[in-house]
Amino acid sequence: MAWDLSEQPQIVQTAAGYVLQGWDVTSKWLLSPAAWSQFGLLVVAFLAAWLVSKRLRPLLTHLLTPKENATSILSTIRRFLLIFVPLLLPLLAYVLTGVGEGITRTLFGSGDVIAFGKRFFLFLAARSLVREIITDPFLKVLGRYILLPIIALYTVGLLDLVTDRLNDTTVSLGNISFSVMALIRGVISGSILFWLGRWSNDQTGTYIHKQEEMRPATRQLAAKAAEITIFGLAFLLLMNIMGIPLTSLAVLGGAIGVGLGFGLQKIASNFISGVILLVEGQATVGDYVELDNGMAGTIVKTTARAMILETFDGRWIVVPNEDFITTRVINYSDQGSSNRYEVEFSVSYDTDINRVPDIVGTAVAAHPAVLDTPEPPDVELRGFGDSGVDFAVEFWVNGLDDGKNKYTSQIRFLIWNALKDADIEIPYPRRVVELRGFEEE
């Protein structure tokens, strides 16, 4: 039966043409002895691949499975290869089908059916890769919505046709014109490149931060430089893949420059301030700092725009990098540097005050955190108060007297116990009240 499609829309006529073309190919396959022989070879190739993979998969799994706690490079490689074992069956079927395709083309001069089967096994391998092997969410999305449709078009023989249509369709943006295929290629390539850039940046940053012999500021600067370099190269590669000349971006670069000069000047200022801080090493991750406005905390993270301080009560303060350059900053730097603290106390006027420095100094020096350098504990006579003689002991420690460290509180306990053991009285305020004008009856 024939249908007159001349009055139908163009899309209907095109679809009908594809259907009729597919029906002609299918009918030739069904009526051709060569096609039936190729179907038979496909079945044989699949059964042979299934039998081989059934015996080979347990052996490969055993050989590639390292010990549970092994951390060597060889163990890492074996773990990486182990995740691809599920691809054994479709890839074996693909290889054996390729051998069968060579045989059929030699005997019958045709191999379209078995070639279709070979592409189908490749599609099964890609499907297994996306479903069972890829675990990264971003790569799984790329595989599901980009890789599998491309392989499906390749399997049914429409990939070249779709590619030609996309290449013929162009899009113009000002002086720049490119095909839809170039745009799709750019999206795919950009996604892969920037994912690789993010992965490379994470690996590079981890490696740099493990270099303990480098100063913390140097490590931060090296990590930032590596990040800029990696993503800069990814951008240049993407422009090259899309076929966009860098000279055509001059107008865009000028617009960005104007934006930086007006609306983005604060962002640019903070970025440059962050680079200066990293180069000079005035403040880096782990330092305890106090700003001119009273904000204080430990630097836990540096970004291109700001530094993040964590206070002892667990709050995070985001401070622009520019504030560290334009205002006064006190850096207590608890990364190995020492700080001096003092504790005041008093003794009774009945005390032989010449004994106090030795008693208190010895007690404070016994604290495991108190340092002998730059100075040992120093007991000073501060004055003669209303209720007793005022003293203060100065001592040096590494770190800060807050958070997990309570140095002054612990030193006060030591002073109290030392004075009590020496029978030295710690005074308390006393007042004499005199009543006048009171007559006894």
Side-chain angles (χ1 to χ4, degrees), residues 22-45:
W23 171 250
D24 291 339
V25 173
T26 304
S27 60
K28 290 180 181 179
W29 284 2
L30 294 176
L31 300 176
S32 171
W36 281 105
S37 63
Q38 293 177 52
F39 277 122
L41 284 175
L42 279 177
V43 174
V44 171

Side-chain angles (χ1 to χ4, degrees), residues 132-296:
E132 302 180 33
I133 296 175
I134 296 178
T135 57
D136 185 85
F138 179 74
L139 291 182
K140 190 175 282 291
V141 170
L142 285 181
R144 184 176 299 167
Y145 296 106
I146 295 178
L147 177 62
L148 289 183
I150 291 176
I151 297 297
L153 290 174
Y154 173 73
T155 302
V156 298
L158 296 178
L159 182 61
D160 292 337
L161 177 63
V162 173
T163 301
D164 293 338
R165 291 295 178 90
L166 293 177
N167 281 324
D168 294 337
T169 306
T170 59
V171 177
S172 298
L173 293 176
N175 295 328
I176 303 175
S177 61
F178 47 87
S179 65
V180 176
M181 187 63 197
L183 179 62
I184 296 175
R185 190 187 301 115
V187 171
I188 297 173
S189 302
S191 301
I192 296 174
L193 281 174
F194 281 95
W195 180 87
L196 288 174
R198 186 192 66 181
W199 179 83
S200 301
N201 181 59
D202 292 341
Q203 299 298 317
T204 305
T206 301
Y207 175 78
I208 291 174
H209 287 297
K210 287 181 179 179
Q211 308 307 309
E212 299 293 339
E213 66 276 6
M214 299 171 60
R215 293 172 52 244
T218 306
R219 293 200 298 266
Q220 289 289 325
L221 181 61
K224 290 295 181 184
E227 180 179 2
I228 294 173
T229 302
I230 289 171
F231 284 103
L233 290 175
F235 177 76
L236 294 177
L237 286 173
L238 178 60
M239 293 296 101
N240 186 41
I241 291 173
M242 294 185 65
I244 299 177
L246 296 180
T247 55
S248 63
L249 300 177
V251 177
L252 179 61
I256 293 176
V258 174
L260 288 175
F262 291 96
L264 303 179
Q265 56 181 342
K266 279 292 184 182
I267 296 177
S269 175
N270 285 318
F271 177 78
I272 296 173
S273 298
V275 174
I276 294 173
L277 288 171
L278 290 174
V279 171
E280 295 183 349
Q282 294 178 352
T284 185
V285 174
D287 288 351
Y288 184 86
V289 297
E290 182 179 350
L291 302 182
D292 199 27
N293 57 8
M295 293 187 297

Side-chain angles (χ1 to χ4, degrees), residues 75-95:
S75 300
T76 304
I77 296 175
R78 291 168 66 184
R79 289 191 184 94
F80 178 75
L81 295 176
L82 182 62
I83 63 177
F84 293 99
V85 171
L87 297 180
L88 183 61
L89 175 59
L91 290 181
L92 275 176
Y94 178 83
V95 172

